[in-house]
Amino acid sequence: MVAFLDEKYLQGADVCFIHFTSRTKKPGTFEKYPTPPGVSNVYVNCENNGWYLNGIPELGDMRTAATALSQRAKAAGASKIICIGASMGACGAALYAALMGAELIAFGTELWPNIYTGFSRENLAPDVRVDPSQLGTPSRALLLCGTTWLSDLICAHHFQRAWPSCRAVYLHNCKHESARFLKDRGVLPLLLEAFIRGESEEAAIAKVKTLPTQTVENLDVPAPAELDDTSLERFAFALSEHLTVGERMKIGTFLYTQKALTPAARYLAGLKAACGDTAEMTLVEVMTLRKLNRYAEALQLLRSIERNPYFREQALWYKALLLEKLGRASDAAAVFQIIVEEHMKSSIANGAKERLKALAPEAMQ
């Protein structure tokens, strides 16, 4: 039987952490944050990457599960309950902390289920709409997100305004994986210890570069419920004025990978005009235009990078795919053949071999 709950109570411990697992962990496995000694730890997961909206199988639906978790922790002696999680786990931690009136630490702060460009859209039905701020209020909340993952930043900003005693921290040059980002820099354990003691997290957070909260407050940040292509593009350009070129490029990649393709195309073109061209940026722009069926434009852009030694193989791959889409099968086959000859054992070369087999009859015409 798959376990969705693992309780490690330390009788008499004042603090109980409830660890909400992200969607990267399979059922029966749990996310375990580096909590200090002397605290209780409860680990939870949910079914089918349901973002904890359907509760926890061993405890019941969302409200029933929240009540049970709170009662069990208090029965073991906890006077402070801290819900903690990242991504899907951050959403679960926020939902349950709001219901319990518990404290909250959230990383990769996609706290609004089904937010546009969010990962939750891959798992939840389109009509699922839940506003955690309507469920209740965490007694204290710390939200940590990357400056280049716009949906997380928009959520963090929204809930900092919606909840009293809530602080948002925007981590420079960080994407969605803000917990891993802080762990890799030795900040995560220090942050948790400071939070437990009710002290300022400044000493821990000072070890990484952050975007001032007031900078975000001064921007026209869209509400999570109103996020769409137009508001996302406007916000991306406004935020970029306060970021490095590298961070701006990461935003372009975010827009592409999260399928906001029309904003991505305009943003990348604007970025190139403002900051100059790079091979990496051009490649993302090519991939975006290809998804938008703008094949001729994408093919034209590839000319600037197909001889770049670091990007040549990828550039040739997309060149061949674009030639196929433009009905130039023999030209596509010739490019696939170049890939095979130059990069005999790479994964792209193997893909080129498969495309050559498929194009053989058409290319011979």
Side-chain angles (χ1 to χ4, degrees):
M1 179 178 178
V2 175
F4 293 90
L5 173 68
D6 184 17
E7 298 169 287
K8 304 291 185 185
Y9 294 111
L10 182 63
Q11 290 300 317
D14 291 337
V15 177
C16 179
F17 274 88
I18 304 176
H19 305 240
F20 288 78
T21 302
S22 70
R23 69 179 197 150
T24 59
K25 297 281 188 182
K26 295 180 180 179
T29 62
F30 303 98
E31 207 95 56
K32 298 184 178 183
Y33 291 89
T35 56
V39 304
S40 293
N41 291 285
V42 176
Y43 308 99
V44 297
N45 205 334
C46 61
E47 284 187 296
N48 303 317
N49 284 337
W51 290 72
Y52 297 92
L53 295 170
N54 296 323
I56 298 165
E58 283 143 283
L59 296 176
D61 63 29
M62 183 168 62
R63 290 182 180 275
T64 304
T67 300
L69 287 168
S70 178
Q71 289 174 343
R72 293 185 186 195
K74 291 174 180 177
S79 58
K80 182 195 295 283
I81 300 172
I82 303 173
C83 297
I84 185 170
S87 189
M88 182 179 81
C91 183
L95 293 166
Y96 286 62
L99 287 168
M100 290 189 278
E103 299 188 6
L104 167 67
I105 305 176
F107 308 96
T109 48
E110 189 175 325
L111 308 186
W112 189 279
N114 260 330
I115 187 172
Y116 179 55
T117 67
F119 288 114
S120 52
R121 301 200 325 160
E122 299 175 15
N123 304 123
L124 302 176
D127 60 345
V128 172
R129 294 288 185 271
V130 178
D131 179 357
S133 68
Q134 298 302 308
L135 300 178
T137 304
S139 56
R140 183 167 63 123
L142 177 63
L143 314 178
L144 302 108
C145 66
T147 54
T148 66
W149 208 262
L150 302 189
S151 48
D152 288 353
L153 193 155
I154 288 165
C155 283
H157 171 266
H158 173 81
F159 286 99
Q160 178 178 253
R161 288 188 163 190
W163 286 329
S165 302
C166 178
R167 179 189 182 190
V169 177
Y170 310 109
L171 303 168
H172 266 300
N173 210 29
C174 175
K175 298 190 289 185
H176 183 60
E177 302 82 5
S178 54
R180 187 184 307 162
F181 179 90
L182 293 170
K183 180 181 178 182
D184 290 346
R185 288 155 179 80
V187 174
L188 188 55
L190 301 175
L191 189 68
L192 300 188
E193 284 203 35
F195 192 88
I196 288 173
R197 293 194 299 266
E199 299 175 357
S200 171
E201 306 88 17
E202 287 303 327
I205 294 172
K207 295 179 179 293
V208 294
K209 189 177 180 182
T210 60
L211 181 67
T213 302
Q214 192 57 49
T215 298
V216 179
E217 290 295 326
N218 291 338
L219 300 175
D220 181 16
V221 185
E226 299 169 357
L227 193 61
D228 57 16
D229 274 354
T230 301
S231 60
L232 183 63
E233 181 183 335
R234 183 178 64 246
F235 178 62
F237 276 111
L239 177 64
S240 289
E241 294 298 317
H242 305 278
L243 303 180
T244 66
V245 174
E247 288 177 296
R248 295 182 186 190
M249 290 175 61
K250 286 185 173 69
I251 287 177
T253 302
F254 161 81
L255 294 170
Y256 168 74
T257 58
Q258 299 308 110
K259 301 177 182 178
L261 298 175
T262 299
R266 286 198 283 259
Y267 179 85
L268 288 163
L271 181 59
K272 181 165 56 180
C275 303
D277 202 359
T278 68
E280 182 179 359
M281 193 189 313
T282 297
L283 188 61
V284 177
E285 190 175 5
V286 165
M287 293 189 293
T288 301
L289 293 174
R290 174 174 169 261
K291 291 286 187 180
L292 289 169
N293 301 330
R294 293 162 61 178
Y295 306 129
E297 292 174 68
L299 189 62
Q300 181 70 22
L301 285 177
L302 278 173
R303 292 181 179 177
S304 67
I305 63 169
E306 65 178 275
R307 295 194 180 280
N308 184 305
Y310 298 103
F311 292 91
R312 178 168 171 76
E313 187 177 9
Q314 291 170 289
L316 290 174
W317 171 256
Y318 282 106
K319 179 178 182 178
L321 294 179
L322 291 165
L323 288 168
E324 273 195 79
K325 288 293 186 180
L326 290 168
R328 297 165 57 181
S330 59
D331 291 336
V335 177
F336 282 129
Q337 186 62 45
I338 292 171
I339 296 173
V340 172
E341 292 172 357
E342 291 185 0
H343 310 277
M344 294 182 62
K345 295 183 179 180
S346 72
S347 59
I348 290 181
N350 290 334
K353 290 175 186 176
E354 294 302 314
R355 294 306 309 147
L356 274 172
K357 291 177 185 176
L359 284 171
E362 191 175 351
M364 293 299 292
Q365 293 178 3

